[in-house]
Amino acid sequence: MLPDLYTLLLVRMGFDGLIALAFLRQMRRYPGIGGPGWWCSGAVLGLLGTVMLMERVTGAGPMAGAMGGLLLFTSNAMAWAGLRSYLKLPMPWKWLGLLVGLQAVLQLGSALLGDRPAVHQLAYVLMTALLTTLFLRDLLSQRQHRWQPEFRDLAVLTVLELLLMAGATVWVAWARHPLDTVAAGFMLLFLLTRFLRVLLFSALVSLRLRQEADEARQAMARREADSLDLVNNLAAGVVVCRPDRSVVSANRAARQFFGWPVSDDGSGLLPSLPKWHLVRDDGTHMPRHEMPFERVLATGQPVRDVVSGTAVDEVGTLRWALCNAYPENDIQGCLRHVVLTFVDITSLRAVQAEQKALLGQLAQSQKMEALGTLAGGVAHDFNNILAAILGNADLARHDLPRDAPARESLHEISAAARRGRELVRQILAFSRRQPLERVPVDVRAVVGEACTLLRTALPPQVQLVQDCACHTPPIQADATQLGQVLLNLGTNAVHALQGATGRIEYLLDALCADDPAVPADWGAGCRAQGVDVVRLRVRDNGCGMNEAVRHRIFEPFFTTKPVGQGTGLGLPVVLGIVEAHGGIVTVDSEQGRGTEFRLFFPAVPGAKPAQERRDFNTNPPEAFTMPEKQVTCIALPPETEPMTEPASAEPRHILYLDDDDTLVFLVRRLLERRGYRVTGVSDQQQAIEAVRDDPQGFHLLLTDYNMPGMSGIEVAQEVLRISPRMVVAVASGYINEELEQKARDAGVREVVFKTDAIETFCEVVERLSRPDGGSAA
């Protein structure tokens, strides 16, 4: 006898409660596994559906049966959703909503139309069969899990359920049995399949736990292997030692450091740790209590950043390392191992001297940069002051009779101002603010001209020797500045002789870029460019220098000469010019034996060497002078030379603009004495308005470039918009390609240096104020 339907429903209700509790526990214990949460919800819905069916059996209306069927169907849908969550498949929300909604329509619709249990059962069986088919499809789609016992058994059980549902439906329809007589049997069969399905779901959870445990073990093994590979391939050495000094492990870097045997995989026999014979960073013996290993044994605390050296072979070769050591304790806190890590710094110590030299070069570069900033900031204003002093002193001297006592005082004023001008000029040269006109230059010719100039200032007891090798290639250089370098070095050599009999030599030759005499790092650049090297040496047998002085000779304003006899800028100027030409300077000096400066320049690529020496007797050399860039109109022509007026009958009208009132006053007096009509202004708008009031009234506009507010280029643009045929010139102390390009774009006729020669200044004014605007020049 089968139990009645009500009893089976009671059993199912208790069974669903146990299922819900079991899966709730799994859900809370293993939140990372998808499925138990859905299955727990399905069991709760199944329990509620069973309660509704029990109400229907005890006499409730058809709506209770319909609700019970809907809840049981939704419970099965939760089982399918749990399977997809377990398999990490996308959740089929649309299918779930469609199936549950369709089941609700069928169950509730049939309940509203009347009490028709057969319709309820048929709708439930058909929709459950469709849902079970979808469940089976997802199971069979998992190829990687298909042959695992849990998945295989679950698939077989699902097929069995489909067969049972199909067979039961056909048998009931064929035998025409009332549903009440067969419902208990069907409920018992499906209760058994549900019990088996729950067991298989639990087995799936256990399977996932085993898989994750296996994956975790494999990942741990991989991490351990990766860690071993990482440690073994570290550039730093790692040695793990026991407290009794026996070595547990050592990576490849440590084995190579100590000279221990090592195989291809980094392993090998490990000897016991030898007794340490370490030295400190300063080379003295390191006591035992300072050694990292012993300090960890004694204190149990980590030791960091200890620099030590140790002998690694029988001949006592020292290897240096930056060491760290720390304890590795067991669970009880007892010392298990001492781990030593170290970085081989032998090569780093070998270059410490070079690093110090580089730091010195950096400090020198920073000083040069600071001085360059100083030069750019104050040279313009300072030179304008000097210009006013020199120009007015010379004009006043010209106004005095030749025998006036004040002329001597004016001469001293001019001499002092010229010394200040020369100082600023050297600052500008040192800070590389003078434009370089670099062209292929025959260095032999420059050396010859410099020697000719220097020879005129040498005392008779000093011998000047010039030895220039034939076939020396040219270099890309500014001949004027290169000549200034040679004169500065020659002047220093004369001072080094201190009035005694001596010898100064200028030696010129060509070297290959890989010649040992060429500085290695600098020569590498020449080799990369495929060019040779031109070496120029200036040597004397004077007093020489000690090491302390030699390290400071290129510092700005450093000098060993008495106060008033040196500015300390001669050699910094040499360094600045040589480096601006892409060269390098080295110095060799010994106190009491003399000094040799060696200048290295890259040769012109592919240039042929000069074949002949220049004949200095038939071609007199030009004097080397540093181009003055800041001082305007500071020297009058010789006192006996009268100031001549322009050749034209009508005086030419010059408009002069400068933000310095003293220079405006000076230039106006100077040009008016030459017969020009001068309008001098110190405001840009005033100059523009003067041209606007009389566009044809000026023959020349000469404006300063560096002014607050509008620059000279901007003034020129405004003036040329008013009077396009106006001749405009801009004067500046800093002329470079960018300024020249701006001037050309603005229509400026010429960019001129502010010069210290009145004659040169007046020649520029004369040329540019001619009716043709200086085009002939």
Side-chain angles (χ1 to χ4, degrees):
M1 289 292 293
L2 292 174
D4 61 3
L5 182 60
Y6 188 83
T7 302
L8 291 175
L9 289 174
L10 282 175
V11 173
R12 176 175 178 129
M13 184 175 66
F15 185 56
D16 283 339
L18 294 176
I19 293 174
L21 293 176
F23 283 127
L24 177 63
R25 182 180 179 185
Q26 288 186 348
M27 177 186 68
R28 298 179 64 180
R29 189 171 182 180
Y30 311 115
I33 300 177
W38 291 97
W39 297 329
C40 176
S41 301
V44 172
L45 292 176
L47 189 149
L48 295 176
T50 303
V51 171
M52 298 303 295
L53 289 179
M54 291 175 65
E55 291 293 325
R56 177 72 176 108
V57 170
T58 56
M63 186 60 69
M67 288 299 299
L70 177 61
L71 290 173
L72 291 177
F73 178 81
T74 307
S75 173
N76 293 331
M78 293 296 101
W80 177 44
L83 176 66
R84 292 187 66 90
S85 176
Y86 176 88
L87 297 175
K88 299 179 180 180
L89 298 175
M91 196 57 60
W93 299 111
K94 293 182 179 179
W95 275 99
L96 286 173
L98 178 64
L99 292 175
V100 173
L102 183 60
Q103 179 69 10
V105 170
L106 293 175
Q107 292 287 341
L108 299 178
S110 63
L112 293 174
L113 293 176
D115 188 7
R116 298 180 180 181
V119 175
H120 291 180
Q121 293 292 338
L122 181 61
Y124 177 82
V125 169
L126 291 177
M127 295 301 296
T128 303
L130 177 59
L131 189 63
T132 305
T133 302
L134 294 174
F135 187 97
L136 181 62
R137 183 202 64 180
D138 289 340
L139 277 176
L140 298 179
S141 66
Q142 301 299 308
R143 295 182 179 181
Q144 68 273 26
H145 302 302
R146 183 182 300 175
W147 302 112
Q148 291 179 342
E150 292 84 357
F151 281 88
R152 183 186 59 203
D153 295 344
L154 186 59
V156 171
L157 180 62
T158 304
V159 172
L160 179 62
E161 284 184 332
L162 285 173
L163 293 176
L164 285 174
M165 283 186 287
T169 303
V170 172
W171 183 69
V172 170
W174 179 74
R176 298 180 181 276
H177 289 289
L179 288 177
D180 294 339
T181 62
V182 299
F186 288 159
M187 178 65 68
L188 180 60
L189 288 176
F190 285 109
L191 186 61
L192 293 175
T193 59
R194 181 172 179 78
F195 175 73
L196 294 176
R197 183 182 297 276
V198 170
L199 291 179
L200 291 175
F201 282 164
S202 298
L204 288 181
V205 175
S206 300
L207 174 63
R208 176 61 57 83
L209 293 176
R210 292 197 305 273
Q211 291 174 341
E212 291 182 351
D214 292 339
E215 291 174 357
R217 283 191 293 269
Q218 293 173 2
M220 183 177 296
R222 287 194 299 270
R223 285 196 298 270
E224 290 179 355
D226 292 342
S227 298
L228 290 175
D229 290 340
L230 176 63
V231 171
N232 195 46
N233 290 289
L234 282 176
V238 180
V239 180
V240 181
C241 308
R242 297 185 183 92
D244 62 356
R245 295 179 177 274
S246 59
V247 178
V248 178
S249 64
N251 69 345
R252 180 181 286 108
R255 294 171 183 271
Q256 293 174 349
F257 184 86
F258 290 108
W260 295 341
V262 58
S263 59
D264 292 339
D265 60 355
S267 62
L269 296 176
L270 291 171
S272 297
L273 198 65
K275 291 185 178 180
W276 293 111
H277 296 286
L278 303 182
V279 295
R280 295 192 184 105
D281 190 19
D282 58 1
T284 59
H285 175 71
M286 180 180 290
R288 181 174 177 177
H289 66 274
E290 294 183 7
M291 297 179 183
F293 182 85
E294 304 294 342
R295 288 170 61 182
V296 172
L297 287 180
T299 64
Q301 299 298 319
V303 178
R304 294 183 177 87
D305 300 334
V306 177
V307 177
S308 62
T310 182
V312 296
D313 53 27
E314 296 180 355
V315 298
T317 303
L318 278 179
R319 298 288 296 272
W320 292 90
L322 179 65
C323 301
N324 296 284
Y326 61 92
E328 180 186 342
N329 299 325
D330 57 19
I331 298 177
Q332 289 78 23
C334 298
L335 182 63
R336 182 185 177 194
H337 296 133
V338 175
V339 181
L340 298 174
T341 63
F342 57 89
V343 178
D344 188 353
I345 60 171
T346 305
S347 58
L348 295 179
R349 286 180 61 89
V351 299
Q352 282 183 346
E354 181 179 353
Q355 289 177 340
K356 291 181 180 179
L358 291 175
L359 289 174
Q361 293 177 9
L362 176 61
Q364 177 70 12
S365 175
Q366 291 172 340
K367 290 178 182 178
M368 294 177 70
E369 181 180 359
L371 186 57
T373 303
L374 171 67
V378 305
H380 178 269
D381 293 337
F382 186 59
N383 277 329
N384 281 347
I385 295 171
L386 293 176
I389 294 172
L390 285 166
N392 283 288
D394 287 341
L395 287 173
R397 186 165 53 246
H398 187 271
D399 291 338
L400 292 174
R402 288 183 176 274
D403 55 352
R407 293 179 65 88
E408 184 176 355
S409 299
L410 292 173
H411 176 74
E412 292 299 324
I413 292 173
S414 298
R418 288 190 181 93
R419 285 197 298 271
R421 179 200 63 195
E422 182 63 24
L423 175 61
V424 174
R425 185 169 62 186
Q426 291 187 5
I427 292 175
L428 291 174
F430 164 72
S431 60
R432 307 179 198 173
R433 292 192 174 247
Q434 301 185 79
L436 292 176
E437 299 179 2
R438 297 177 63 178
V439 296
V441 172
D442 180 6
V443 186
R444 295 188 306 159
V446 179
V447 172
E449 294 173 358
C451 289
T452 301
L453 288 175
L454 186 62
R455 187 173 287 111
T456 61
L458 289 180
Q461 68 272 21
V462 176
Q463 182 183 6
L464 181 61
V465 178
Q466 174 187 347
D467 184 5
C468 298
C470 296
H471 310 295
T472 302
I475 66 173
Q476 199 79 13
D478 186 316
T480 301
Q481 295 201 7
L482 183 59
Q484 186 65 56
V485 167
L486 299 182
L487 287 178
N488 282 7
L489 293 176
T491 302
N492 271 16
V494 173
H495 293 162
L497 294 175
Q498 298 178 343
T501 301
R503 178 185 177 95
I504 300 175
E505 299 178 4
Y506 283 84
L507 310 174
L508 178 67
D509 56 4
L511 303 172
C512 296
D514 54 0
D515 192 285
V518 178
D521 294 340
W522 182 84
C526 293
R527 286 196 300 273
Q529 299 176 17
V531 298
D532 290 332
V533 176
V534 175
R535 178 177 63 175
L536 177 59
R537 292 171 289 171
V538 181
R539 178 190 303 165
D540 67 73
N541 58 350
C543 61
M545 296 176 284
N546 58 32
E547 193 69 13
V549 173
R550 189 176 68 83
H551 281 299
R552 299 188 60 190
I553 56 175
F554 293 116
E555 291 184 11
F557 303 113
F558 173 76
T559 180
T560 58
K561 299 173 185 176
V563 177
Q565 295 187 19
T567 62
L569 287 175
L571 291 178
V573 165
V574 169
L575 179 65
I577 293 175
V578 172
E579 290 183 347
H581 284 77
I584 190 172
V585 181
T586 62
V587 185
D588 186 15
S589 182
E590 184 177 350
Q591 197 163 12
R593 298 181 63 88
T595 302
E596 179 177 292
F597 286 85
R598 291 183 289 270
L599 283 59
F600 299 90
F601 298 94
V604 174
K608 295 182 179 180
Q611 299 295 326
E612 299 179 358
R613 295 180 182 270
R614 180 172 177 177
D615 186 352
F616 296 104
N617 295 324
T618 59
N619 297 282
E622 298 178 0
F624 290 110
T625 57
M626 298 297 289
E628 179 56 59
K629 309 219 174 154
Q630 296 293 337
V631 184
T632 307
C633 310
I634 61 174
L636 279 171
E639 299 171 4
T640 58
E641 180 181 345
M643 292 188 177
T644 59
E645 296 185 1
S648 60
E650 181 182 355
R652 299 171 193 167
H653 195 178
I654 311 299
L655 177 59
Y656 182 74
L657 169 63
D658 198 303
D659 60 317
D660 193 323
D661 291 333
T662 58
L663 287 181
V664 173
F665 176 72
L666 175 64
V667 171
R668 183 172 64 248
R669 291 179 61 200
L670 168 67
L671 294 181
E672 286 177 349
R673 288 193 179 194
R674 292 288 182 123
Y676 293 97
R677 180 185 171 194
V678 180
T679 299
V681 295
S682 57
D683 180 76
Q684 296 95 319
Q685 291 298 330
Q686 187 177 355
I688 295 171
E689 291 300 326
V691 176
R692 183 177 286 112
D693 294 341
D694 189 3
Q696 306 301 324
F698 299 98
H699 296 85
L700 170 66
L701 167 62
L702 181 59
T703 174
D704 186 22
Y705 171 69
N706 188 14
M707 295 180 292
M710 297 178 67
S711 69
I713 297 295
E714 294 171 333
V715 172
Q717 292 172 335
E718 289 293 328
V719 167
L720 290 173
R721 289 192 188 99
I722 300 170
S723 178
R725 301 188 63 181
M726 171 79 73
V727 178
V728 181
V730 174
S732 175
Y734 305 127
I735 297 180
N736 51 33
E737 293 181 1
E738 181 182 0
L739 174 58
E740 292 177 343
Q741 184 61 46
K742 287 182 178 178
R744 284 193 296 268
D745 295 342
V748 173
R749 185 67 56 86
E750 187 171 338
V751 180
V752 298
F753 284 119
K754 288 185 173 181
T755 178
D756 61 344
I758 283 183
E759 282 302 311
T760 305
F761 176 78
C762 293
E763 288 174 2
V764 170
V765 173
E766 169 67 22
R767 174 166 51 83
L768 294 177
S769 62
R770 289 201 302 261
D772 58 358
S775 59

